[in-house]
Amino acid sequence: MSPTARVPAAVVTAVGSALPPDVVSNSDLTARLDTTDEWIRSRTGITRRHIAGADQSTTDLAVRAAAMALTSTEPEHVEALVVATTTPDRCCPATAPAVATRLGLTEIPAHDLAAGCTGFLYALATGAGLIAAGAARTVLVIGADRLASLPHPEDRTTVPLFGDGAGAVLLRSGSAEEPGALGPLVMGSDGTGADLIRAERPGALHMDGADVFRHAVDRMSTASRQATTAAGWDLADVDRLVPHQANSRITSFVARQLGIPEAWQLSNVAQVGNTGAASIPLLLASAVADGQLKPGHRTLLTAFGAGLTWGATTLTWPDLAPRRLPEGAGHDR
């Protein structure tokens, strides 16, 4: 590429989502945990969450979400795949190659990325980097997690928080001026807070709620300001805030810090809980489906997660065709 050539931008062209069929309500939890529906709602905003069964893996969820995103794209047009997850099916090998194979994406580069609940934004940055470098013209970015498997089953403070799911977006090479083009990506980490959210193994999640809350609000707010400034936006320009869905109190505090009205804040945490790396793409897909996110909306994405990690980026939402998962797509074969 010559010094005067323009670096291609990563443009969002499709979204997809997948949720397990089994739903666990607050009432279901109160039947076995020392908690109440009012306690859960007032502290988290969550009323129910989708939980994967023993026969549904992170790979299964990722494949289903990706299949929805790919309903109008031939598999041979996808040139790279990134899966952001905290809950891979195995320590080794990675989840992404199996996802690619089941989607019919033969021999393309595919890898996992672990950055906690910020994983999807880190994966977007990876996809955008591949496109900018000319290594791929089309990249499939997936966030998939089975976080409900991490808390101890009798931990009343963490069990209600988490659900399972996957979301995907398709990126293609394009112009920075067109709708759907990702703006500057702001990311950061702070390993001194590594112990605030940790899980040495499934069933042994530890989270320091008060410190996590404080860091999440501060880091997401700061990254959001940096991302909008880098994009040449004022915060008043933002039409839709798409924050990681950790709990409703965190997202409300972030919106308040940024001066973004509640009506412009997208949320599905009440229905799905905290789905980790799947959180933002799941929210994008549901907001498109129910009409809350429309073409031309200036959209701000931001997240915070274990690591500690955080990030933010912007885009003007493109005109995307509605997506429906093809019959039988994404099932084991």
Side-chain angles (χ1 to χ4, degrees):
M1 182 179 293
S2 70
T4 57
R6 301 191 68 180
V7 175
V11 180
V12 173
T13 63
V15 296
S17 62
L19 290 167
D22 292 341
V23 176
V24 175
S25 68
N26 289 351
S27 297
D28 295 326
L29 295 182
T30 60
R32 65 180 182 85
L33 297 174
D34 181 20
T35 188
T36 66
D37 175 66
E38 191 279 332
W39 190 94
I40 298 171
R41 286 176 185 254
S42 64
R43 286 162 176 78
T44 71
I46 299 168
T47 60
R48 59 189 176 95
R49 67 287 296 148
H50 292 252
I51 306 297
D55 61 345
Q56 191 165 35
S57 66
T58 296
T59 298
D60 294 332
L61 293 169
V63 169
R64 285 179 55 82
M68 181 183 289
L70 292 175
T71 52
S72 66
T73 300
E74 295 299 326
E76 59 264 28
H77 293 162
V78 178
E79 298 181 352
L81 184 149
V82 184
V83 174
T85 184
T86 299
T87 58
D89 296 332
R90 296 177 285 184
C91 293
C92 181
T95 300
V99 173
T101 295
R102 284 179 51 184
L103 291 168
L105 306 177
T106 307
E107 298 185 356
I108 67 168
H111 71 274
D112 289 4
L113 184 155
C117 295
T118 318
F120 178 73
L121 288 183
Y122 271 57
L124 280 184
T126 301
L130 290 170
I131 289 172
R137 291 166 297 180
T138 308
V139 182
L140 185 59
V141 176
I142 305 167
D145 268 318
R146 297 177 73 249
L147 292 189
S149 66
L150 295 186
H152 188 283
E154 296 179 4
D155 185 350
R156 64 186 291 271
T157 62
T158 57
V159 167
L161 299 178
F162 299 107
D164 303 328
V169 302
L170 185 64
L171 302 176
R172 64 161 173 81
S173 177
S175 165
E177 288 73 34
E178 65 180 297
L182 295 178
L185 284 129
V186 172
M187 296 177 294
S189 72
D190 179 5
T192 64
D195 284 343
L196 295 183
I197 310 170
R198 66 183 190 272
E200 281 76 18
R201 63 187 183 278
L205 175 73
H206 168 83
M207 185 165 61
D208 188 328
D211 276 349
V212 168
F213 186 100
R214 176 174 56 83
H215 278 287
V217 172
D218 177 60
R219 300 298 194 179
M220 291 169 73
S221 300
T222 299
S224 294
R225 292 189 185 97
Q226 293 171 341
T228 50
T229 298
W233 294 6
D234 292 326
L235 283 168
D237 295 330
V238 174
D239 297 311
R240 293 293 183 269
L241 172 64
V242 183
H244 164 57
Q245 299 293 284
N247 73 54
S248 60
R249 293 176 65 222
I250 289 177
T251 54
S252 293
F253 267 77
V254 170
R256 196 176 310 161
Q257 291 262 9
L258 299 176
I260 295 177
E262 185 176 349
W264 299 351
Q265 173 192 321
L266 298 182
S267 179
N268 64 351
V269 72
Q271 292 77 40
V272 301
N274 182 346
T275 55
S279 171
I280 285 179
L282 276 173
L283 180 53
L284 291 174
S286 65
V288 169
D290 64 21
Q292 293 189 70
L293 185 57
K294 298 181 183 296
H297 277 156
R298 291 161 294 189
T299 306
L300 170 62
L301 315 180
T302 187
F304 172 86
L308 300 172
T309 60
W310 58 87
T313 192
T314 59
L315 74 158
T316 298
W317 195 252
D319 189 3
L320 302 183
R323 307 279 165 178
R324 298 187 65 183
L325 185 65
E327 186 67 27
H331 293 288
D332 292 330
R333 58 177 180 268

